[in-house]
Amino acid sequence: MIKRLLFLLVFVPVFFLIFLGILIWYYPSIAVNPTTLGWGKQYLEGQGISIEWEAPRIDARSVNFWEKSLHLSLDRLHIESEDLSLRSQKILLESRFLFSFLKFNKLNVDRLHAEDLQIEWREGPSEENRGLSGDDSPKKPVDLGFVDTLSWLKLNELQIDLTSLRWIDNGSRSSITGDLHRKDEIWKTAGSFQLEEQNEGFSGQWDVLWDGISQEFKVEVLTGGVLQSLQASGSIQQAEESLTLTKSLSLQIESFPSINFKNLISEWRWESPIIVSLEGDWQIPSLSDAKRRQEIPLFGKLSADVFYQPEKDSNLAAKLLVEFFPKQKAPPVRGELQVDLQTDLQDLISGASGSLGLAMEIPDFQEISDYGKAFGFFVPAPFHHLNGPIHLNVNSNIPESGAPFDLNYEMTTDLKSRDQSVVTRVTGGLQVLRGSQGLQAHRLEADVELKKVLLIWPDLGLRPPPPLFKDARFADRIEAPKVSDSSEDSEMSYRIHVRTPQEPLQIKTHFSNTPLRFLIDAEVDSSGGMQGWVRLEPALLQLFRRQAQLTGGRLSLSDDFGDSPIESSLEVEYAEYKVFIRVRGTVSSPLLILESNPALNRRDILAVLLFGRPLGDLDPGQGESLASTESALIDRSITLGSMFLLASTPVESVSYNPETRAFQARLRMPGGVSLTIGSDTERLTQVGFSKPLGKGFRFRTLLSDLMDQDKQMHISAVLEWLLRY
Amino acid sequence: VSDVESARGRSLCDGRIEIDSPQRIRFRAEELFFLCGSGESTAWGDIPLEQARFHMGAFLQQRGFHFFSSSIDFDRKVLRVNTGPRVVVSGLQITNDTKVPLRRLRRPLGKAMTPDRLDQTQSWIRRELAMNGFPCAQVRVRGELETGLIHLDIQSNRYRRILKVIQSDPVGLEPGILSRYYAFQEGESYRSIPVELSSRRVESDGIVQDHRWNLRCEDPDHIILEENLLVGKPRVLSLALGIDTEEYLSGMIGWKSVRLGKRASSLDFQGRASFLRQMGLIVSNWYPFSDPRRPLIRTALQVERRAESRYASLDSELSIRSVWSRDFLGYSLRFEVGPSLADSRALGSPLPPPSQYLSLDAGLRWMSHPFEFYLSNPQEGYRFDVRGKFLDGRLLSPFRAGVIEVAAQSLFEPFHSDPRILIVGFRAQYITSSSSFSKAERSKLPIRFRQYLGGEQSVRGFSRLELPFDERVMMSSVHGGIELRSDYPFHPRVQPFVFFDAGLLGEESFQIETPVYFSPGGGLRWQSPIGSIRGTLAHGFVAGEKDREKKEKLSHWQWFLSLGREF
């Protein structure tokens, strides 16, 4: 009896449950129907999740013994929880559950449509839970295991019209709108996204096609107003714990040449650490802009291993080898870049450490200068016909803990043309700071060795060079002067040391048969300071219409270039005497000392130098010119340039207006043409009693004398010629 | 510098550069060098088009074209340049911390905005500041292309007083001799006009050939003036020429020896000759004292022959005068007094008889520094002269006589702008003579005691010394005039003006009688490279004259043309 009773107590419920299970197995609508849907809703509301819908239609059927179908349709679905808000105008799900031996095997979603889907995801701890602990806990690394867990899902058709997906995190706000479609194994998604973080952020669009064999996607990101885009296509092979992507990749960043990767094989291994290996060819297809039809490709190979180790501080490491080499129609640049870096994903720049090295060679400077034209770079005269190789080596060890690092470089040039040469070696370092703003060049050190430099000075004859650079005093719009914070020192500092260790710098000029030879040991720095010297070696010059021996010159640099002391000596030999011209003083205010052997007075020496005749043989106009020259010399109104011009050509007349300190010289030129040089500017006011007119003439204003017998007191003027003796 | 090649056919460098411009642009040879290249060397034989474009920007900027655009046709190797419009100056925006009311600068307005224009404007403003006590001011000048404004930011670097003068003494002279020419005092506020005026005086007197100042700003509140000299030879020989319609052609020859003795006395021989006047003059300036405030002794011997339309005379005079001159803030005073011995002879008829007399002469001149400074281009300032000549019949004179003259002149610009919109000038002169001769005996009175009017320097509607119309001997005269001159209205150097002159004469001392002689008129003044040339045309009128015939004869047009004569 008891056994029977126990049997009934056990068997009946079990039988009932089995019966019910069989019934549900064959008729799933018994368990999955609007009523049970309502129970589920009530259960979730008990868990703090509010769900509302209208016109629920649910149809659960048994297709065959191992296959069940579920059709669900909900209008105006609204789910609300503490951290999620989801709304959709209509949800349609057609799915099939596949079983094998009563074990769930796969879910086939034949169709999943979501219309006007709006999701708002409020991530992060709530205000109450946030407490005082802040957000110091280390963030969990990204879990990529979902790739495996999704293997039970088969999605045949997916159509989601995402009207808005907003993801609100502490301090940041993200939103996504777009479509997601999948049909016949082809994924398509397109949409736009926006991330706002404090006052920064970026926005973008994507367009992805994924058909299982080849994948194409395009992402365009607008960050800081600059458009950047990434396009890729390829195939993915998934193994147990690795993913191999074979694809081509195109990266386009505004204001930067686009980069294409071809035959790029990237292998992703989900080990610890996760390793991504890249190997392929890269190409910068064109360095030109759209306006130029010239295209300059740049080719190379890329080999890189990237290690990702979530649990470590330096959780990202990379070894990179980039080779670049010339191909046909490519600029002749060859070399390689080696990078070996470890860094923390959370702090890519400050957390980085390792080493990098660049070795580059431009075998043909002439060719690279031709290519350079395509993107606005040009080699100016007189250097544009130089040819030869340029080598550049850069290496750096990047220390840990975010300390600054130095990029040490060495550049050598061996450039030559028919009549010029530039053989130099530049060594130094560029100190780079790392901070929240990224990398910042902080200080440049350069030691420039002019090993063998021979240049040609432009032959302008007697004319002073015109202004070759635009005057910086003009602007489209001039703002009111701002009060600048002098303590702010964000500009890069530099120190450049130039010297001639082997041969002097040589400059060919038209007033000397042999090049002028300069020895240099000079240093300039970013504070404007200058030190060192420039020495001019003795030379024979064609000045004062005869050969003049330059016995030497020296410029000692000081912080203000105009205050740099200058010393130079010139000897001009005449039949009866020798004239010594010494330049002393400073660059901005040179002082000319004239001496002779046997001794002549200053005016005699000037007369001989300027007019080639002794003082007694000069006509009155030349005497006046002489006086003007002497005045200007005393007043130091003659610049070094004017002094040179005076010395290099026959002088017709010289006038000097002490009122405006304007110096003018009229020079005789071939063909009877006269050339006027000088510092005279338009006078705004005519003043004074007399105005020099040159050649001994002046215009003189007379006020009638107080006790003049003429009863009509008046102002009158005369044209006057005068001679002092 | 002469232009050697322009944008001929709107192309340069054998067609390598094509220029599209609303105006024809001429490039100088040195500019073409950097656009086209030159020479046989590979270094400068050709210029890359990109470099030519770079330089072109600077060259066009020099001409006011700031918005040029360009393109390079790499296939045809051609640089195409469009100069765009020329930017002109629309105004000045001045940030001024000196509180000095600067004059309005009108000159750059409407002109191309170029680097040179900025330099000129900067020079102008520095000069203005130096005139007002800020010689060490720094001026930053920038051009705003959208608006055409020139922005001038002025840092005054403090108002300065003259701390000291570092003098440079010519060899052989006592130290500080040149300070007698200084129009300023140490400790005074710095003004550029008195300082520059001092140099003018030194040079005009010829004591040295060239004189100028170095300004040193190292003291924060003061300025130090450092004298720079070119001494020159001590003797000056000069020849001069003047032209006008009164004296026609006049010539002058002079010889002067300066720096005589340790105190730089001088001896000056002058000869002047025109159709109307011939004169010989020997002047010696003797400085008996080192102190510049003490007087100099001027001795002069002058012989003059005049052949005016009204009379002809031969006058000789030997005079010795003590001359004091002193400068104050903004003006100078000069006082002369001394005896002179004269011989006056009339040539021709009607004739006053020859006479020799001893007189005491005195004169005072009060003249502002700007008037003296702008002497060759009068525009502001004033002068006031009083002089007298007195004869006593008991002392080497056959008769008793005297003449007193008061003259004043003033110019100013009411609109405070530069160039001046309007220069207003006034001048007036009053002369009266007295003598012991009765009215019937006045024909014996030497001509220099008689008064006349007419001419460019008195009433411009009448010819030189045309008044009085008859042979009466006039003892008093007064005349005045106002002139309105416009500076820079349509040409930088040509100035039109209008004027109104009026004058009266009187037969008795200190008495003025009708008729009134007046003349409205106008003229042009051309600031030529050799001095100002003035032409005037005026009509003479007589008011208060009852004699109709006399009135009609005096009413006529009168013109004058002169070199260097000023209002």
Side-chain angles (χ1 to χ4, degrees):
Chain A
M1 186 61 189
I2 294 169
K3 282 185 179 178
R4 186 171 292 176
L5 194 60
L6 280 172
F7 173 77
L8 284 173
L9 284 173
V10 173
F11 176 75
V12 171
V14 169
F15 177 78
F16 177 74
L17 287 174
I18 291 170
F19 178 74
L20 189 63
I22 292 169
L23 213 56
I24 291 172
W25 189 255
Y26 278 98
Y27 302 99
S29 58
I30 295 170
V32 184
N33 54 42
T35 307
T36 53
L37 211 57
W39 292 347
K41 178 181 162 186
Q42 285 175 6
Y43 171 76
L44 288 173
E45 282 175 349
Q47 299 296 316
I49 300 171
S50 157
I51 301 181
E52 297 290 338
W53 60 67
E54 293 178 14
R57 287 184 294 279
I58 187 163
D59 182 13
R61 292 187 183 185
S62 179
V63 178
N64 56 43
F65 186 78
W66 297 117
E67 186 176 335
K68 314 298 169 193
S69 71
L70 174 66
H71 289 196
L72 174 66
S73 169
L74 299 171
D75 288 356
R76 284 181 279 283
L77 173 68
H78 180 196
I79 302 173
E80 193 71 45
S81 72
E82 186 185 0
D83 51 7
L84 178 72
S85 171
L86 186 147
R87 290 169 188 271
S88 175
Q89 200 61 28
K90 189 175 185 70
I91 294 283
L92 177 65
L93 172 69
E94 292 180 7
S95 60
R96 287 175 294 140
F97 295 83
L98 301 178
F99 297 87
S100 60
F101 302 105
L102 297 178
K103 180 185 167 191
F104 173 68
N105 189 24
K106 190 169 273 187
L107 171 63
N108 274 5
V109 176
D110 294 328
R111 182 183 290 180
L112 174 60
H113 288 189
E115 292 178 17
D116 191 13
L117 181 63
Q118 299 177 35
I119 304 170
E120 185 173 306
W121 189 284
R122 296 178 283 270
E123 206 195 29
S126 63
E127 291 297 326
E128 299 88 333
N129 297 337
R130 206 178 294 269
L132 298 172
S133 61
D135 195 14
D136 294 338
S137 58
K139 291 187 177 179
K140 289 182 181 174
V142 178
D143 181 7
L144 295 175
F146 69 93
V147 176
D148 284 340
T149 57
L150 282 177
S151 59
W152 50 266
L153 178 67
K154 185 181 181 192
L155 196 58
N156 289 330
E157 183 180 331
L158 177 70
Q159 184 174 336
I160 295 176
D161 301 324
L162 188 64
T163 304
S164 80
L165 168 61
R166 291 195 293 161
W167 182 2
I168 301 169
D169 192 4
N170 183 33
S172 67
R173 180 183 292 268
S174 313
S175 65
I176 298 171
T177 58
D179 300 327
L180 180 63
H181 300 269
R182 185 184 193 276
K183 192 169 185 181
D184 301 332
E185 298 292 322
I186 297 174
W187 284 86
K188 283 184 185 175
T189 176
S192 63
F193 58 91
Q194 190 162 7
L195 172 66
E196 295 171 19
E197 190 162 358
Q198 305 298 341
N199 294 324
E200 296 180 353
F202 58 88
S203 60
Q205 294 179 341
W206 78 88
D207 188 357
V208 176
L209 177 69
W210 189 306
D211 65 0
I213 302 168
S214 62
Q215 295 78 44
E216 289 179 12
F217 68 90
K218 179 181 178 185
V219 178
E220 288 186 342
V221 180
L222 192 68
T223 169
V226 177
L227 182 71
Q228 301 173 7
S229 73
L230 174 74
Q231 288 186 55
S233 63
S235 64
I236 296 177
Q237 290 172 351
Q238 187 179 349
E240 192 62 27
E241 284 197 326
S242 70
L243 200 64
T244 304
L245 289 85
T246 307
K247 58 187 170 186
S248 69
L249 187 70
S250 168
L251 187 66
Q252 172 78 57
I253 299 174
E254 189 76 12
S255 308
F256 199 81
S258 66
I259 301 176
N260 291 343
F261 294 94
K262 284 183 178 174
N263 309 319
L264 184 66
I265 299 170
S266 59
E267 188 180 348
W268 305 63
R269 278 177 283 167
W270 318 122
E271 300 167 349
S272 181
I274 295 168
I275 303 170
V276 180
S277 300
L278 296 164
E279 197 164 335
D281 301 331
W282 60 268
Q283 177 191 358
I284 298 177
S286 169
L287 292 173
S288 63
D289 60 29
K291 290 178 185 172
R292 300 166 202 275
R293 286 180 289 162
Q294 227 175 334
E295 290 195 346
I296 298 175
L298 199 64
F299 301 95
K301 283 189 174 299
L302 169 75
S303 169
D305 290 313
V306 182
F307 303 88
Y308 172 63
Q309 206 156 11
E311 66 274 12
K312 289 200 171 178
D313 288 342
S314 292
N315 51 26
L316 189 71
K319 285 187 179 179
L320 186 68
L321 176 65
V322 181
E323 291 175 81
F324 42 95
F325 43 79
K327 280 189 176 179
Q328 199 177 9
K329 292 184 180 178
V333 180
R334 65 165 69 96
E336 61 176 40
L337 171 69
Q338 280 188 325
V339 179
D340 189 352
L341 282 178
Q342 304 87 45
T343 188
D344 180 2
L345 257 186
Q346 304 301 323
D347 197 354
L348 274 174
I349 293 173
S350 296
S353 62
S355 64
L356 59 89
L358 169 73
M360 197 173 88
E361 181 194 7
I362 298 169
D364 190 340
F365 176 73
Q366 190 54 230
E367 222 169 310
I368 198 77
S369 71
D370 289 343
Y371 281 109
K373 290 176 182 175
F375 52 101
F377 166 76
F378 67 92
V379 180
F383 306 103
H384 59 315
H385 287 300
L386 292 169
N387 201 1
I390 294 177
H391 292 92
L392 174 67
N393 290 302
V394 181
N395 60 71
S396 177
N397 285 315
I398 302 171
E400 295 178 355
S401 69
F405 63 92
D406 290 322
L407 289 170
N408 300 309
Y409 64 87
E410 178 187 14
M411 186 176 82
T412 58
T413 66
D414 189 7
L415 309 177
K416 286 172 185 156
S417 69
R418 180 160 51 90
D419 36 24
Q420 295 190 119
S421 68
V422 177
V423 180
T424 64
R425 176 172 177 264
V426 184
T427 56
L430 176 68
Q431 191 179 55
V432 180
L433 298 181
R434 292 182 280 174
S436 56
Q437 302 295 319
L439 297 174
Q440 185 189 353
H442 178 60
R443 181 167 177 78
L444 176 73
E445 299 266 347
D447 285 301
V448 182
E449 293 177 11
L450 305 178
K451 290 184 162 179
K452 187 175 182 182
V453 177
L454 171 62
L455 297 172
I456 294 180
W457 190 255
D459 182 3
L460 294 176
L462 305 171
R463 296 173 175 84
L468 298 176
F469 301 93
K470 275 189 165 184
D471 193 315
R473 293 177 296 176
F474 296 96
D476 287 348
R477 189 97 207 150
I478 291 174
E479 305 296 336
K482 291 175 182 171
V483 181
S484 60
D485 182 6
S486 58
S487 64
E488 190 179 336
D489 186 19
S490 59
E491 289 186 359
M492 188 178 79
S493 62
Y494 62 84
R495 182 195 65 83
I496 299 171
H497 184 197
V498 182
R499 59 197 179 95
T500 48
Q502 295 170 355
E503 287 188 32
L505 164 69
Q506 298 181 65
I507 296 181
K508 277 186 187 171
T509 63
H510 57 278
F511 52 86
S512 171
N513 293 328
T514 54
L516 295 180
R517 294 159 65 87
F518 294 87
L519 289 165
I520 302 172
D521 189 350
E523 192 173 300
V524 293
D525 60 45
S526 49
S527 65
M530 299 176 95
Q531 48 188 308
W533 46 262
V534 177
R535 220 165 58 216
L536 179 57
E537 290 191 342
L540 271 178
L541 307 178
Q542 289 295 328
L543 294 176
F544 302 109
R545 295 162 301 286
R546 61 183 58 228
Q547 274 205 342
Q549 174 69 47
L550 179 76
T551 54
R554 184 185 169 98
L555 172 69
S556 303
L557 296 172
S558 63
D559 284 350
D560 185 345
F561 182 68
D563 292 340
S564 301
I566 187 168
E567 287 179 41
S568 174
S569 297
L570 196 69
E571 290 178 15
V572 192
E573 187 136 7
Y574 292 84
E576 296 173 5
Y577 32 72
K578 192 186 263 189
V579 174
F580 304 95
I581 304 165
R582 300 186 213 285
V583 182
R584 298 287 185 272
T586 61
V587 170
S588 61
S589 188
L591 180 66
L592 203 63
I593 299 167
L594 302 175
E595 292 166 340
S596 67
N597 185 20
L600 294 172
N601 68 34
R602 181 189 178 92
R603 304 197 71 194
D604 277 317
I605 298 173
L606 264 181
V608 170
L609 289 175
L610 293 182
F611 300 106
R613 282 177 288 173
L615 189 58
D617 295 348
L618 297 187
D619 62 40
Q622 288 174 322
E624 182 69 16
S625 292
L626 207 59
S628 291
T629 308
E630 198 176 0
S631 301
L633 286 174
I634 291 171
D635 202 24
R636 301 181 184 185
S637 286
I638 297 185
T639 62
L640 282 176
S642 302
M643 207 185 291
F644 157 70
L645 287 171
L646 281 178
S648 59
T649 182
V651 177
E652 199 168 80
S653 71
V654 179
S655 68
Y656 176 70
N657 186 345
E659 179 194 327
T660 55
R661 298 175 67 147
F663 161 78
Q664 276 205 337
R666 182 166 286 272
L667 311 174
R668 271 200 298 275
M669 296 185 61
V673 179
S674 288
L675 172 76
T676 303
I677 61 160
S679 57
D680 199 6
T681 54
E682 185 189 347
R683 295 180 59 195
L684 293 173
T685 324
Q686 296 284 342
V687 294
F689 307 139
S690 64
K691 181 185 173 193
L693 300 171
K695 285 204 164 187
F697 284 94
R698 69 178 179 179
F699 176 73
R700 190 170 175 214
T701 306
L702 309 166
L703 176 65
S704 64
D705 193 80
L706 177 60
M707 300 306 286
D708 195 334
Q709 290 186 15
D710 192 341
K711 288 190 282 292
Q712 293 172 345
M713 297 160 96
H714 58 256
I715 302 165
S716 61
V718 290
L719 186 62
E720 189 177 52
W721 170 88
L722 72 162
L723 169 70
R724 290 183 85 102
Y725 66 98
Chain B
V1 177
S2 58
D3 300 328
V4 298
E5 190 177 341
S6 63
R8 196 172 295 130
R10 296 183 182 269
S11 73
L12 287 173
C13 313
D14 298 326
R16 285 180 75 234
I17 300 177
E18 294 176 1
I19 296 180
D20 182 12
S21 172
Q23 285 161 294
R24 186 180 178 85
I25 297 175
R26 299 171 70 84
F27 290 94
R28 293 189 291 271
E30 59 271 28
E31 292 176 323
L32 291 170
F33 181 93
F34 286 99
L35 293 175
C36 312
S38 177
E40 293 179 357
S41 76
T42 56
W44 298 101
D46 64 299
I47 303 289
L49 287 176
E50 295 91 340
Q51 187 177 1
R53 170 161 62 182
F54 180 80
H55 296 322
M56 179 67 83
F59 300 158
L60 290 176
Q61 193 189 47
Q62 294 290 321
R63 294 158 173 80
F65 296 103
H66 297 266
F67 298 112
F68 93 106
S69 59
S70 64
S71 64
I72 296 177
D73 185 335
F74 286 99
D75 295 337
R76 291 182 51 215
K77 295 186 177 172
V78 172
L79 167 65
R80 294 194 180 90
V81 175
N82 186 315
T83 63
R86 194 194 286 255
V87 178
V88 296
V89 179
S90 65
L92 268 68
Q93 183 84 42
I94 300 176
T95 311
N96 184 1
D97 70 342
T98 62
K99 308 282 189 297
V100 171
L102 297 168
R103 291 184 293 169
R104 286 189 296 121
L105 180 62
R106 296 191 295 128
R107 186 157 304 185
L109 304 186
K111 300 275 183 64
M113 189 183 276
T114 63
D116 283 348
R117 192 76 57 203
L118 295 192
D119 293 339
Q120 288 161 14
T121 309
Q122 190 176 37
S123 300
W124 177 85
I125 211 115
R126 279 189 179 148
R127 191 178 179 86
E128 284 288 298
L129 292 165
M131 286 168 79
N132 289 283
F134 295 93
C136 304
Q138 289 182 330
V139 180
R140 184 185 180 205
V141 59
R142 291 171 298 168
E144 188 173 67
L145 302 176
E146 277 186 12
T147 58
L149 286 173
I150 294 179
H151 288 252
L152 290 150
D153 301 321
I154 298 172
Q155 265 196 324
S156 65
N157 282 337
R158 304 178 82 122
Y159 187 79
R160 305 271 174 152
R161 289 181 179 280
I162 299 169
L163 181 65
K164 62 176 175 180
V165 178
I166 300 175
Q167 294 187 326
S168 176
D169 298 309
V171 177
L173 300 186
E174 282 183 4
I177 283 295
L178 297 185
S179 62
R180 70 170 75 133
Y181 300 97
Y182 293 174
F184 59 88
Q185 313 280 336
E186 287 182 353
E188 248 177 33
S189 303
Y190 176 87
R191 295 280 189 279
S192 64
I193 285 183
V195 173
E196 290 182 33
L197 183 59
S198 307
S199 289
R200 300 286 148 268
R201 288 176 176 175
V202 173
E203 287 173 14
S204 183
D205 200 47
I207 186 168
V208 296
Q209 182 171 333
D210 189 60
H211 180 279
R212 68 204 152 271
W213 301 101
N214 275 350
L215 307 184
R216 286 166 46 180
C217 297
E218 58 252 37
D219 187 283
D221 293 314
H222 295 91
I223 189 151
I224 296 169
L225 300 176
E226 191 177 16
E227 211 167 31
N228 257 327
L229 302 179
L230 172 64
V231 176
K233 295 287 186 182
R235 288 173 289 277
V236 184
L237 177 66
S238 63
L239 294 170
L241 198 67
I243 302 168
D244 62 66
T245 51
E246 286 190 335
E247 296 191 39
Y248 308 110
L249 199 63
S250 60
M252 193 165 77
I253 183 166
W255 180 89
K256 189 172 186 178
S257 180
V258 294
R259 304 203 301 271
L260 295 171
K262 288 187 176 181
R263 298 191 192 104
S265 299
S266 67
L267 184 63
D268 190 3
F269 291 87
Q270 282 183 34
R272 297 182 195 177
S274 70
F275 290 103
L276 298 183
R277 299 173 65 190
Q278 298 86 43
M279 186 195 76
L281 175 68
I282 305 171
V283 181
S284 121
N285 287 316
W286 175 47
Y287 293 88
F289 306 105
S290 302
D291 188 344
R293 291 170 296 184
R294 308 293 288 275
L296 72 95
I297 305 299
R298 169 171 293 173
T299 309
L301 174 63
Q302 178 175 327
V303 179
E304 183 180 31
R305 178 181 178 276
R306 299 175 72 121
E308 304 281 358
S309 58
R310 305 294 301 267
Y311 62 86
S313 66
L314 179 65
D315 294 298
S316 309
E317 185 178 80
L318 174 67
S319 60
I320 301 174
R321 295 196 182 104
S322 178
V323 182
W324 284 269
S325 58
R326 189 83 190 269
D327 282 273
F328 299 89
L329 192 64
Y331 64 91
S332 62
L333 283 180
R334 179 187 178 91
F335 178 68
E336 296 184 26
V337 65
S340 66
L341 187 63
D343 177 90
S344 184
R345 293 167 190 274
L347 307 171
S349 178
L351 302 173
S355 58
Q356 293 80 37
Y357 52 85
L358 178 71
S359 64
L360 179 69
D361 299 345
L364 174 73
R365 171 167 285 170
W366 175 22
M367 184 157 57
S368 75
H369 287 150
F371 186 89
E372 193 179 353
F373 186 71
Y374 292 114
L375 208 54
S376 66
N377 186 10
Q379 44 196 281
E380 67 174 272
Y382 59 84
R383 70 173 170 125
F384 182 75
D385 291 343
V386 182
R387 62 180 180 176
K389 192 177 194 67
F390 307 99
L391 287 68
D392 192 322
R394 291 166 296 183
L395 193 65
L396 293 176
S397 294
F399 56 93
R400 182 172 56 79
V403 59
I404 297 172
E405 177 189 335
V406 181
Q409 188 173 359
S410 170
L411 295 108
F412 65 93
E413 204 277 326
F415 298 106
H416 204 60
S417 68
D418 184 26
R420 292 162 164 83
I421 295 171
L422 190 67
I423 297 165
V424 181
F426 294 101
R427 68 179 177 193
Q429 188 177 33
Y430 174 75
I431 312 176
T432 189
S433 308
S434 66
S435 76
S436 55
F437 293 115
S438 65
K439 195 168 182 179
E441 296 173 321
R442 288 226 180 115
S443 59
K444 296 178 184 172
L445 189 67
I447 285 166
R448 63 182 312 165
F449 292 91
R450 304 178 183 192
Q451 308 308 325
Y452 299 93
L453 286 178
E456 199 190 6
Q457 297 297 318
S458 63
V459 186
R460 282 169 278 188
F462 301 92
S463 65
R464 181 177 169 85
L465 309 184
E466 186 180 357
L467 304 173
F469 182 71
D470 48 30
E471 297 304 323
R472 285 180 295 161
V473 175
M474 292 296 178
M475 300 298 282
S476 301
S477 77
V478 62
H479 72 84
I482 178 170
E483 182 175 290
L484 306 177
R485 175 155 53 99
S486 177
D487 201 0
Y488 211 87
F490 50 84
H491 188 277
R493 291 182 178 273
V494 178
Q495 303 163 335
F497 58 90
V498 292
F499 58 82
F500 183 85
D501 296 332
L504 295 95
L505 291 164
E507 280 192 274
E508 299 300 329
S509 303
F510 298 103
Q511 284 187 12
I512 299 296
E513 302 157 12
T514 56
V516 179
Y517 306 98
F518 64 95
S519 59
L524 284 177
R525 179 181 185 275
W526 174 38
Q527 188 72 38
S528 80
I530 56 162
S532 76
I533 294 175
R534 284 171 69 100
T536 63
L537 181 65
H539 196 283
F541 294 99
V542 184
E545 175 60 63
K546 291 171 185 167
D547 186 339
R548 191 173 183 83
E549 187 187 354
K550 194 187 288 182
K551 193 173 179 178
E552 282 178 3
K553 283 192 173 177
L554 283 174
S555 298
H556 59 82
W557 287 98
Q558 181 68 44
W559 64 278
F560 292 103
L561 188 67
S562 63
L563 168 71
R565 290 281 176 88
E566 297 289 359
F567 176 76

